[in-house]
Amino acid sequence: MAQDNFSQVTEFILLGLSDTQELQLLFFTFFLLAYSMVLLGNLLIIVTVRTDPKLSSPMYFLLCNLSFIDICYTSVTIPRVLVALLSGHKAIAFEACMAQLFFLHFLGSSEMFLLTVMAFDRYTAICRPLHYTAIMARGACWALVAACWVGGFIHSIVQTVLMLQLPFCGPNTIHSYFCDVPPVVRLACTDTTLTEWLMASNSGLISLGCFLVLVTSYGLILAKVRAHVSQGHRKALSTCASHVMAVTLLFMPCIFTYLRPAGTLPTSKYVCVIYTIFSPVMNPLIYTLRSSEMKESMWRLWKHCRA
C-alpha cells in the first residue's frame, strides 16, 4: 500500500538507558556531573584563550572553537535527558526529534572537520615550521573554521532531508536517550534499505575519511619527531598525543555506529554515551592537562580573579 508523504506519528518515546528507578537516579547524577564538567571546563578554556594574549596561536584559536562546539553539542541532548529523568516524561515531539537529529549531526560533523583541521595545524607546525606562519595565518584559520561549519551543515541537512522523506506510521519507541539516525530509521513503515545505505555512506564515510586523514597526519608527525629528537619536538609529540586521545574517543564509536546500515546490527545506546558525553567531558581535561601554557594561563587568570 502506498504510504502518505506526511508522518502519522506526532511524537516518539525515548526509553533512555534504563527503566529502573535506582539506576535512573544514578544516570541523572552522572549526566548532571558530566554536563557541568563540559560547561565549566570548556567555558574556562574559552575565557582563558580570549583573555591571554600569549594564547594567540592558531592552535589555541582552534581549541577555543572546539570548546564552543562541545558546549553546543552536549546542550542538544543532555538537558532534555535531565528533564526526562526528573519528570519521567519521555515523549519528544516529532518536530523536536528531527531538530535534535539535525543539530546533533551538524555539530558532531563540524567537530570532526575541526579536529582534522587541528591535526593539519600540528602537522604544519612540526613538519613545515618555516611556512607555518604563512599557511596558518589568521585569515586562513577563519576560513578553515568556516569550512568546518559549512561542511557540517551540508552533511546534516542531507541526513535530515533523507529522514523527513520516510513515513512513520507505526511504532514510536526509540531505544535510546536521544534522537539519532540508526534508532529512528528503524521505525519507518517502509523499506529503508536504500536510505540506510545513503545515510551510512554520508555519516560513516565522513567519520572514516576524517579519521584516516588524522591518522596519516599524526603518522607523519611521529616520523618527523623520531628523526629530529629535541625538547621542542618532545613537547610537540606530547601535544599530539593528547589530540590522538581526543580523536580516538570521538571517531571509533562513530565509525562503529554509522559505517553500516541501521538494520544490520543493533546499535548499543551505551556506545553512544562515549561520543555524546564522555568525549566532550574529556576534551577540556586532555587539552589543558597536557598543555603547560594552558595551565600557566589558567593559573594567572585564577590569581587575577582573586586579586
Side-chain angles (χ1 to χ4, degrees):
M1 187 174 72
Q3 296 291 345
D4 193 1
N5 288 332
F6 296 94
S7 173
Q8 299 177 13
V9 172
T10 59
E11 65 178 19
F12 293 105
I13 306 298
L14 296 170
L15 295 183
L17 294 173
S18 175
D19 291 328
T20 307
Q21 189 66 31
E22 292 77 9
L23 286 179
Q24 286 186 358
L25 180 60
L26 178 64
F27 286 136
F28 175 82
T29 305
F30 168 72
F31 278 100
L32 182 61
L33 289 175
Y35 191 48
S36 300
M37 290 177 65
V38 170
L39 292 180
L40 294 175
N42 286 291
L43 284 174
L44 179 59
I45 289 175
I46 292 173
V47 172
T48 303
V49 173
R50 297 290 294 176
T51 56
D52 194 338
K54 294 182 178 180
L55 301 179
S56 59
S57 66
M59 182 178 72
Y60 293 110
F61 171 75
L62 297 174
L63 177 58
C64 191
N65 281 274
L66 178 65
S67 294
F68 176 73
I69 290 179
D70 274 339
I71 290 173
C72 298
Y73 181 67
T74 52
S75 297
V76 172
T77 56
I78 297 184
R80 179 174 284 276
V81 174
L82 293 174
V83 171
L85 288 171
L86 273 183
S87 64
H89 183 67
K90 299 181 178 181
I92 181 173
F94 178 85
E95 294 80 6
C97 183
M98 293 298 107
Q100 188 179 69
L101 186 149
F102 169 80
F103 284 108
L104 186 77
H105 280 264
F106 173 37
L107 296 164
S109 56
S110 297
E111 178 165 342
M112 289 184 179
F113 294 138
L114 185 60
L115 286 170
T116 307
V117 171
M118 293 175 72
F120 173 74
D121 170 73
R122 290 300 84 206
Y123 165 79
T124 307
I126 296 171
C127 299
R128 302 188 63 185
L130 297 179
H131 301 88
Y132 179 71
T133 304
I135 294 174
M136 296 301 295
R138 180 53 61 122
C141 289
W142 277 107
L144 288 170
V145 170
C148 293
W149 286 99
V150 172
F153 177 81
I154 293 173
H155 157 74
S156 187
I157 201 68
V158 170
Q159 293 286 84
T160 308
V161 168
L162 288 173
M163 188 67 70
L164 290 174
Q165 300 303 311
L166 299 175
F168 296 92
C169 54
N172 67 337
T173 302
I174 298 176
H175 293 271
S176 184
Y177 55 92
F178 65 99
C179 289
D180 197 10
V181 169
V184 175
V185 75
R186 293 193 187 101
L187 303 180
C189 47
T190 188
D191 184 10
T192 60
T193 303
L194 178 60
T195 304
E196 289 179 29
W197 278 107
L198 289 173
M199 290 180 168
S201 300
N202 189 3
S203 296
L205 290 181
I206 285 177
S207 303
L208 182 61
C210 290
F211 181 70
L212 292 177
V213 171
L214 286 160
V215 170
T216 302
S217 299
Y218 290 125
L220 293 173
I221 291 172
L222 179 60
K224 180 73 172 181
V225 171
R226 291 184 64 183
H228 302 83
V229 178
S230 66
Q231 186 63 32
H233 283 89
R234 289 194 186 97
K235 179 181 177 182
L237 182 60
S238 176
T239 301
C240 290
S242 66
H243 292 194
V244 170
M245 292 172 62
V247 163
T248 303
L249 285 173
L250 177 63
F251 280 89
M252 296 309 294
C254 287
I255 292 172
F256 170 78
T257 301
Y258 297 113
L259 194 60
R260 56 187 171 82
T264 54
L265 288 171
T267 302
S268 173
K269 51 192 174 184
Y270 297 104
V271 172
C272 300
V273 173
I274 300 175
Y275 63 86
T276 58
I277 300 173
F278 194 66
S279 176
V281 167
M282 293 302 296
N283 279 347
L285 298 176
I286 289 172
Y287 287 108
T288 54
L289 295 179
R290 301 288 296 185
S291 172
S292 58
E293 291 178 333
M294 280 295 299
K295 288 186 288 187
E296 290 171 3
S297 295
M298 287 180 177
W299 178 244
R300 285 194 296 269
L301 178 63
W302 170 253
K303 289 193 295 185
H304 176 74
C305 292
R306 291 188 62 184

